[in-house]
Amino acid sequence: MRRFNLALLTAVALASGLTAVPAQAHTGRPPGLKNCTAAGCHFDVPPGTYDVKVLLGGDAESHTAISGETRRSLLPETAVAAGERASRSFTVNVRTPEGEPTGPDGTPGLDLALGGSAPALAGIKVTPARHTRQIFLVGDSTVCDQPGDPYSGWGQQLPQYLRKGVSVANYADSGESTVTYLAEPRLWATVQPLIRPGDLVLVQLAHNDKTTDEVTYRANLETLVAGVREKGGNPVLVTPIVRRWFNSDGTLNNGTALLVNGLGVDHPAVIRSVAAAEDVPLIDLTAKTKTLVESLGVEGSKAIYLYNEKRDNTHTSVHGATVYAGLVRDELVAQGLAPAGLVRVG
């Protein structure tokens, strides 16, 4: 295989202040520069927000995807013709813990993994981000950065739909309700001080509010909305994804599927009511996922969830989380909530 122009790569390295890497064919040949291997790259940077610019392509046709930190999808699979190069950029949030806020710290610095059917990386530049917008996520296990296969939260897949200039700070955490999210110091007490004017804060909490009464649930949502606004952020309430729990007629019109708890609290209905009363944008993910799952049917919807792997009708597969993240992306665009020009729509 032809060697890449090392002069060009050196120029990229000097421009980045960190490093650049030679093209990596899918032969698995180790690279010549220090920050990358055939599988990915590591940069010793402190917590913060970073812009990443990659140059993709090689001698042969390539198909490259990039994930980072705790299995976050940062760049969708991108095809580049043989002998060509394509430049792509994204912004990534580096934090400790790098995944779920109550989980392990993870690896210090920024870790990127190369994926796709035929990855080829010709160069990379990582720089501290300037003038970025953040989308904070407050949620549960259906949203969070899940640490291991086959699980994935939709918030874990959302970054691939965003361009350079906006990043996802996913502070969703497994097992959390509105009650526990507000009470745990590593959650809301940590997130709220980080919110800057103009940041979006998407809130989806319901799956674990199984014993929360309606008055408390409503008050907790109102507390989160007020806390976001106190910092100049823009709250967005998100109704929960449905559970894959079919009736005999192929519909999801039951309390289990539609998140009505044992006390009779209809979580999506309360969220819609609070959004209207507080004049907060609403992403009705319950309605959208219900429509999608019903259209796929009993068999087709198994791939969205982890039914085949775990007999799990609540948590999503990587495929399902990606589809659901796409629904969130569509609503951000449709409602004008996302920064103009910073969302991938194709």
Side-chain angles (χ1 to χ4, degrees):
M1 176 175 288
R2 175 174 59 86
R3 292 183 181 273
F4 286 87
N5 188 322
L6 291 181
L8 171 62
L9 294 169
T10 301
V12 176
L14 291 174
S16 71
L18 290 171
T19 194
V21 300
Q24 302 203 40
H26 45 282
T27 59
R29 178 184 300 175
L33 297 179
K34 66 180 182 179
N35 286 73
C36 295
T37 69
C41 307
H42 173 78
F43 297 92
D44 290 323
V45 296
T49 306
Y50 295 88
D51 291 330
V52 180
K53 182 175 183 179
V54 294
L55 190 65
L56 306 176
D59 286 347
E61 180 181 346
S62 62
H63 296 262
T64 308
I66 298 177
S67 60
E69 298 296 89
T70 303
R71 303 175 61 238
R72 300 179 217 158
S73 293
L74 300 172
L75 186 71
E77 187 162 329
T78 302
V80 181
E84 299 293 327
R85 300 291 181 271
S87 177
R88 296 289 186 272
S89 298
F90 53 87
T91 301
V92 60
N93 173 254
V94 176
R95 60 183 183 270
T96 303
E98 68 179 27
E100 295 181 83
T102 63
D105 284 353
T107 305
L110 171 60
D111 288 287
L112 302 174
L114 301 180
S117 58
L121 181 65
I124 186 168
K125 180 170 70 173
V126 176
T127 54
R130 300 282 193 273
H131 310 298
T132 60
R133 294 278 298 277
Q134 290 206 96
I135 298 177
F136 287 90
L137 302 181
V138 170
D140 52 37
S141 59
T142 66
V143 184
C144 75
D145 288 349
Q146 290 280 0
D149 282 327
Y151 293 90
S152 181
W154 63 254
Q156 202 164 18
Q157 302 301 322
L158 186 61
Q160 66 186 298
Y161 292 115
L162 304 174
R163 300 182 187 276
K164 175 185 173 184
V166 59
S167 68
V168 174
N170 191 351
Y171 282 86
D173 196 71
S174 293
E176 305 300 341
S177 66
T178 57
V179 175
T180 61
Y181 203 94
L182 287 167
E184 166 58 61
R186 291 171 292 181
L187 298 173
W188 185 237
T190 296
V191 175
Q192 191 195 20
L194 301 175
I195 299 170
R196 301 172 302 184
D199 286 340
L200 287 179
V201 183
L202 276 58
V203 178
Q204 186 216 278
L205 286 167
H207 278 272
N208 300 300
D209 280 280
K210 298 173 184 177
T211 60
T212 309
D213 64 80
E214 183 170 340
V215 171
T216 301
Y217 186 64
R218 179 182 293 272
N220 289 343
L221 293 175
E222 292 170 347
T223 296
L224 290 165
V225 167
V228 174
R229 286 175 165 166
E230 180 184 330
K231 293 296 183 178
N234 299 316
V236 179
L237 292 178
V238 183
T239 59
I241 67 170
V242 295
R243 295 191 181 101
R244 184 189 163 277
W245 201 268
F246 283 93
N247 298 325
S248 59
D249 63 357
T251 66
L252 299 178
N253 296 317
N254 60 78
T256 299
L258 299 181
L259 283 297
V260 178
N261 75 8
L263 301 179
V265 180
D266 185 331
H267 294 102
V270 175
I271 295 169
R272 295 177 189 120
S273 175
V274 172
E278 298 292 327
D279 193 24
V280 174
L282 173 75
I283 295 178
D284 199 340
L285 206 51
T286 305
K288 290 186 173 298
T289 56
K290 178 180 184 292
T291 298
L292 175 61
V293 171
E294 288 181 342
S295 71
L296 291 171
V298 173
E299 290 302 317
S301 61
K302 288 179 179 178
I304 295 288
Y305 292 84
L306 293 172
Y307 180 85
N308 293 324
E309 299 87 349
K310 301 286 185 178
R311 295 296 188 268
D312 187 332
N313 293 306
T314 297
H315 298 97
T316 48
S317 63
V318 171
H319 165 67
T322 302
V323 171
Y324 285 177
L327 296 178
V328 174
R329 181 273 313 270
D330 292 345
E331 280 299 296
L332 292 175
V333 173
Q335 296 189 40
L337 299 171
L342 295 181
V343 178
R344 302 181 197 276
V345 295

